[in-house]
Amino acid sequence: MLRYLIKRLITMMVTLAIISVLVFVVIKLPPGDYMTTYIEELRAQGEQVDQARIEFLRKRYGLDQPGWRQYLTWAVGLLHGDLGWSFEYDQPVNKLIGETLLLTIILKFATIFFIYAVAFPVGVYSATHQYSWSDHGLTFLGFLGIAIPNFLFALMILYAANVWFGTSIGGLMDPSYIDKPWSWGKAMSVLEHLWAPVLVIGITGTAGMIRRLRANLLDELQKQYVTTARAKGMSERRLLLRYPMRVALNPFIADVGSLLPQLVSGAVIVSVVMSLPTSGPLLLSALQSQDTYLAGSFLMFLATLTVVGMFLSDVALAILDPRIRLE
């Protein structure tokens, strides 16, 4: 196991290094750079462009240097915890995204907990009560959850909260706590506002996971070893938990690596609609303005989540399923 973990850690570092190159190249692929976008915005507003100031800013931000040198500056900074300088916001990326990443992590892990906490009991119940009225009802709700877009569901939640309860649920905290240091009151405000975005973002993932768990479990329950165990007198609960459930969980453990970045990248529109101070809108703005270091730092964050998630899922699969061997 130790040898396997060391090999995987080395592979993870090499993978992240390759991803960092690809991320930087992709951000640089569109013609021009941040200063080009900035100049076009000024001209569109009818303002005069001071070429001397533009050259000064280009030199200050290092945009006059070749691409490989800009990449090396950013990559070396990443290794030292320095994420670079945000051109658009004119401040260090570390300072800019500190609380944003924290709120994003809180929201995403709360969403993952909601998805698993709801999907597993509902999926198991639906599979063990196949074709019952409750199974048909849960299947119908699952189809609705998959069919309704997240942003539309967000608008419905916002409207219902405003009309029925006379309250606004946009954002992740009370406006009085914005840009204030963390305190007990701010933490409670975040928890108070957390339920709406968790419900909106998690509803599609929950519905999809219920359908997959039901299908996988039904497939396992029809296999010969289940019939043999029943014939030997094993109780249904023990049989379900000891064999079919463990095998049916494999796809969901394997999905951990892709679930984390999907929740971050897939909730951009929801974050805009619900005014959530998370990484989605900031990443979208950075990509539009070609704010290289800000966009690159967010994309590296997503890549790290993917690589770490795949590592954890591989180890968990080896522990969960005795048929899987690390070799």
Side-chain angles (χ1 to χ4, degrees):
M1 174 65 87
L2 180 60
R3 183 181 178 184
Y4 171 78
L5 294 178
I6 293 174
K7 289 174 61 177
R8 282 304 306 267
L9 289 174
I10 295 174
T11 304
M12 287 168 57
M13 290 187 288
V14 174
T15 302
L16 288 175
I18 296 174
I19 290 175
S20 68
V21 176
L22 295 177
V23 164
F24 198 85
V25 170
V26 169
I27 295 176
K28 287 290 187 179
L29 276 180
D33 51 30
Y34 170 75
M35 296 311 301
T36 306
T37 307
Y38 179 65
I39 292 171
E40 293 299 325
E41 289 179 355
L42 290 179
R43 287 176 176 170
Q45 297 170 5
E47 298 183 18
Q48 296 294 326
V49 179
D50 187 351
Q51 193 61 35
R53 175 170 173 77
I54 294 300
E55 293 300 326
F56 169 76
L57 292 175
R58 192 182 297 275
K59 185 175 182 180
R60 176 188 175 187
Y61 294 143
L63 296 175
D64 60 331
Q65 299 177 356
W68 64 268
R69 186 179 293 274
Q70 294 181 41
Y71 167 75
L72 287 179
T73 302
W74 176 61
V76 172
L78 286 178
L79 295 177
H80 293 85
D82 180 9
L83 303 181
W85 192 271
S86 171
F87 307 146
E88 184 176 4
Y89 296 93
D90 197 24
Q91 58 179 299
V93 174
N94 291 29
K95 180 180 178 181
L96 180 63
I97 69 176
E99 184 169 297
T100 300
L101 279 183
L102 177 61
L103 291 174
T104 301
I105 292 172
I106 292 174
L107 176 60
K108 302 320 171 186
F109 277 96
T111 304
I112 292 173
F113 177 79
F114 169 79
I115 290 174
Y116 279 87
V118 174
F120 277 90
V122 173
V124 171
Y125 179 84
S126 183
T128 54
H129 295 76
Q130 187 181 18
Y131 302 136
S132 64
W133 283 106
S134 55
D135 180 33
H136 288 305
L138 292 172
T139 300
F140 175 72
L141 292 177
F143 285 142
L144 284 182
I146 296 174
I148 299 177
N150 283 346
F151 71 90
L152 179 59
F153 189 50
L155 292 173
M156 295 166 58
I157 291 290
L158 291 173
Y159 175 81
N162 187 46
V163 172
W164 295 344
F165 304 104
T167 182
S168 175
I169 57 174
L172 275 178
M173 65 185 71
D174 191 89
S176 61
Y177 290 109
I178 296 177
D179 296 329
K180 297 291 181 63
W182 281 91
S183 62
W184 179 256
K186 185 173 182 176
M188 290 298 99
S189 181
V190 170
L191 291 178
E192 182 182 352
H193 288 76
L194 198 60
W195 69 270
V198 165
L199 181 62
V200 171
I201 298 172
I203 194 69
T204 300
T206 303
M209 186 170 288
I210 289 172
R211 300 300 304 155
R212 285 186 294 156
L213 179 59
R214 178 182 182 275
N216 291 342
L217 198 52
L218 283 174
D219 182 59
E220 288 299 318
L221 289 173
Q222 295 171 4
K223 290 185 176 179
Q224 187 64 42
Y225 73 89
V226 176
T227 304
T228 303
R230 283 176 178 154
K232 291 183 177 181
M234 182 177 290
S235 66
E236 286 293 325
R237 182 176 180 179
R238 185 184 177 191
L239 170 63
L240 178 67
L241 295 178
R242 187 170 181 179
Y243 296 111
M245 188 67 177
R246 292 177 64 183
V247 178
L249 288 180
N250 283 6
F252 305 100
I253 302 299
D255 281 349
V256 171
S258 59
L259 183 60
L260 292 174
Q262 283 177 2
L263 289 175
V264 176
S265 59
V268 175
I269 299 179
V270 174
S271 298
V272 173
V273 170
M274 303 190 73
S275 303
L276 304 179
T278 55
S279 61
L282 202 58
L283 172 59
L284 181 61
S285 173
L287 291 172
Q288 290 174 335
S289 64
Q290 290 183 273
D291 195 345
T292 307
Y293 300 134
L294 179 58
S297 299
F298 272 125
L299 293 175
M300 283 303 299
F301 172 67
L302 294 179
T304 303
L305 284 180
T306 304
V307 172
V308 173
M310 294 300 296
F311 171 74
L312 295 177
S313 65
D314 286 348
V315 174
L317 281 173
I319 296 174
L320 181 69
D321 194 337
R323 299 174 303 173
I324 296 176
R325 293 293 177 264
L326 298 180
E327 292 80 4

